[in-house]
Amino acid sequence: TRNDVWSIYSDEYSNIWLGLLGKGVQLYNPLTKDFKSLTIVDSTMCSDLFRSSIFSLMKDSRNRLWMITEYN
C-alpha cells in the first residue's frame, strides 16, 4: 500500500515517527527494524488517530510529543 509521509520526527532514542496522509502515525525502531502503527483514540473528538492525516510532529519543552492533524 502507499504511505505518503507528511512529517518526520526522530526522538532521543533514535526512533523515527512518521506522520502519514490519512493513515495516522507509524513508529519505526531502527534497532529492531520494526514498524508500529499507533491507533490511539481521542475520546473528546471521537476521531481515530489511525485514520487521521498527520501534518506535523514536534516535542515541547516538557518532552511531550505533539501531532498536528487534519482535526487539530
Side-chain angles (χ1 to χ4, degrees):
T1 63
R2 181 177 162 171
N3 288 318
D4 292 326
V5 176
W6 280 64
S7 57
I8 299 172
Y9 177 79
S10 179
D11 66 21
E12 64 274 14
Y13 304 106
S14 298
N15 293 311
I16 300 170
W17 299 75
L18 302 171
L20 305 173
L21 178 63
K23 295 187 178 179
V25 175
Q26 288 202 351
L27 178 60
Y28 176 67
N29 182 327
L31 298 176
T32 63
K33 298 185 183 341
D34 186 38
F35 278 96
K36 290 184 181 178
S37 293
L38 302 185
T39 55
I40 302 167
V41 176
D42 180 340
S43 61
T44 60
M45 292 178 52
C46 298
S47 65
D48 188 348
L49 183 59
F50 179 70
R51 288 183 287 224
S52 294
S53 292
I54 309 299
F55 300 118
S56 183
L57 296 163
M58 64 191 80
K59 205 169 254 193
D60 68 14
S61 62
R62 292 175 31 184
N63 211 28
R64 296 177 294 186
L65 184 65
W66 290 85
M67 301 172 197
I68 307 299
T69 71
E70 62 189 306
Y71 303 111
N72 295 324

